[in-house]
Amino acid sequence: MPANNLKDFFHPQSIAIIGASKDLTSISGKPMKNLLQHKFEGQIYPVNPRYEEIEGVKCYSSILDIPGKVDLAMIAISAARLLSILEECIQKEVYNILLFSSGFAEIGESGRKIQDAVAKLAKENNVRIIGPNSVGCLNVKESIPMGFATSMEAENGFKRGNIGLVSQSGALGFSVFGLAQEENLGFTYVVNTGNEMDVTTIDTMESMLEDEETTVIAAYMEGVPDGQQLIQVAKRAKVLKKPLIILKTGRSEIGKEAASSHTASLAGSEEMFEVIAKQYGILTVKDIDEMIDVMKIVSRRKWAGGRKLVTVSNSGAAGIAMADFSEELGLSLEPLQGKTKEVIEATIPSYGSALNPIDITAQALKEQHIFTETIETLVKDDNTDIIVIQTTFGGALGEEICRKVAEIDKREEKPIIVTVTGTEELTGKGREVLRKNGVPVYKTTYDTMLAVKHLADLSEFYRTEDRAIAMSSEIVRLKPRDNRTAVWTEEKSKALLKQLAITVPLNAIAESYQEVEQVIADLKFPLVAKVISKDILHKTDAGGVKLDIQNIDESKQAFEDIIASSKNYKEDALVNGVLFEEMLVEKGVEMFIGIKQDPQFGSFIVCGLGGIFIEVLKDIAIRHVPIDKADALLMVEELKGYALLQGIRGSGKADIEAFADALVNISDFVYAQNGSLKEMDINPIMVLDEGKGIVALDGLLVWNKVEAPDLVVNP
């Protein structure tokens, strides 16, 4: 059943509470109490053979005894009884179940077996289950509390709005909801998925996306149940311009184990999640405070036209702090220009500052128009994308200034964000005015600037056009063959790279000392010699590399030395021979390209400075594949080592275009393998002067063993 069918889950006309209790303070009693308290207009059917009625509502011995249709069953019984209850629900044609019960996978193997059996039966009968271990769901739009979360007991009801919230943790999710309500943020739905036997956080996000009134979706996740589904949800969210905010915990150990290649050791699954978030426009937050701060600034859907920020304060120190944080967070504070600067200079005291930050000074205490006239000028300035205001004014004056800011904000599309610093007693009324009018207001400078950074990032993402990535028709084709070696050493990796239009030095393999002279006959000195062994992947560590070989005698000696060193390094290593290749004498910038397969999200391509610096500097850029040329160039520009490629201290510009082409070709190839390639490490790739291309000096591929293919060499 498609995830978007969850719409029926949250709009029931009739609800059965299986295991209902007369003790309205208990877990099995609160769902009944909450429905009655919030005047649920549909039918309520408590089910418990011990009672005739609960709170004046007829109680049934079994769900099968209920005369009418049941849209949702809320179940609060022991895990051991669940299979038989589920069978009755299926017989009653109940397709939506909210499961409060515990005692499933979280207790061990016995609970896992029950959970698996329940999940299997539900799937076979198109029944959707939220839980187990769920505290419930809340349809805020229609005030339908389905569960026992403390927040559902609010006597004054719930503030409706445009935010949908889903959380694996009930306590955390409903805590966020409660705190956000205090900030005057309104919601459509709040869902706790619990153990996620069936319905996941991502299923719920997918469903919420298609709800017209839900325009912001926030989620707490302890893991990613389906990486590819999350990517598709994020793509859909961009089309609809509905922000996704995710707080993710439960950092995985996957990816931290020893790996064959350098690339695999550079980033674990948590880093891959952050790459996915950045690439597909998901806003990630570190805690619930930041989540609520981001909700404030994106729920109003006023997008920034750029990253140019102007800050206004009555405190020079606050302005300096905002400038510092702006630089740290990648925001741009540009000096005011032209007419805007002239008007503001004429508005503020002479001892203030019309630069950026703008310091209107404490004189605004006496002349309130200074604040509002400055803001009125800035909203008309084409060189200003976001206005950030900081004030410490309290009492009636502070409240009046906040009211005027709210009036300006109401009629303007340009984002206005406010920091009101001070105690609740002195400045609380001003903050409340802003909250009630939907103006994002914060208490500290850093919280303000971090929220602005999220707004700028998302606005920038929305401005980028989606590009259809065209795969190269020249992609190397691989013919699958089982029981092949999972590791492709240098000679085989380089044969592949040649097919990907990546230059490699001329080379040949000597399997024995006697073959050396014949093998190198067509190669030009100086040469490089390297051990070929799937058991020795880091050749330098094993003494398996010799450089600057000038003649035949040195070549033979290199062969003997490499074989001896390799056997001494790892006695049982299977050595296939020694690769001799022409030594690159041209200078260039050492880079690397790598591939990492993540169990959740699939293949990622990585690049950065190569050679010995790869693990020391860890200056890398990562993207989920596939990528196009524009993506590849952006990856290169992200690197701290980009300056080396641009040319420094008299050195020429490197062939960045050729390196970007290589990234695209490798991305196309990897994407075509559909996850069968586990790792790739091309290190170093020498990027020569502009127009001269690149040369791959080493390479390694690791395949998933049963899928390791044989290379079909093009004629």
Side-chain angles (χ1 to χ4, degrees), residues 191-206:
V191 179
N192 169 217
T193 54
N195 281 24
E196 301 193 351
M197 176 190 293
D198 171 32
V199 175
T200 68
T201 47
I202 304 177
D203 289 335
T204 311
M205 293 164 71
E206 186 176 23

Side-chain angles (χ1 to χ4, degrees), residues 147-166:
F148 60 92
T150 303
S151 297
M152 295 179 184
E153 300 174 28
E155 293 183 2
N156 296 324
F158 317 110
K159 179 170 174 55
R160 298 168 177 82
N162 63 336
I163 302 171
L165 174 64
V166 56

Side-chain angles (χ1 to χ4, degrees), residues 582-612:
E582 294 180 358
M583 185 171 175
L584 182 68
V585 294
E586 290 184 79
K587 292 183 178 180
V589 179
E590 287 190 357
M591 302 290 289
F592 84 93
I593 296 175
I595 294 296
K596 179 178 174 63
Q597 179 74 15
D598 181 83
Q600 286 291 344
F601 297 109
S603 297
F604 291 79
I605 189 164
V606 188
C607 74
L609 289 178
I612 63 173

Side-chain angles (χ1 to χ4, degrees), residues 209-210 215 235-243 301 462:
L209 271 179
E210 304 309 320
T215 58
K235 288 181 176 179
R236 176 66 174 157
K238 182 182 182 182
V239 172
L240 299 172
K241 283 195 174 181
K242 294 187 176 185
R301 301 176 62 78
Y462 285 160

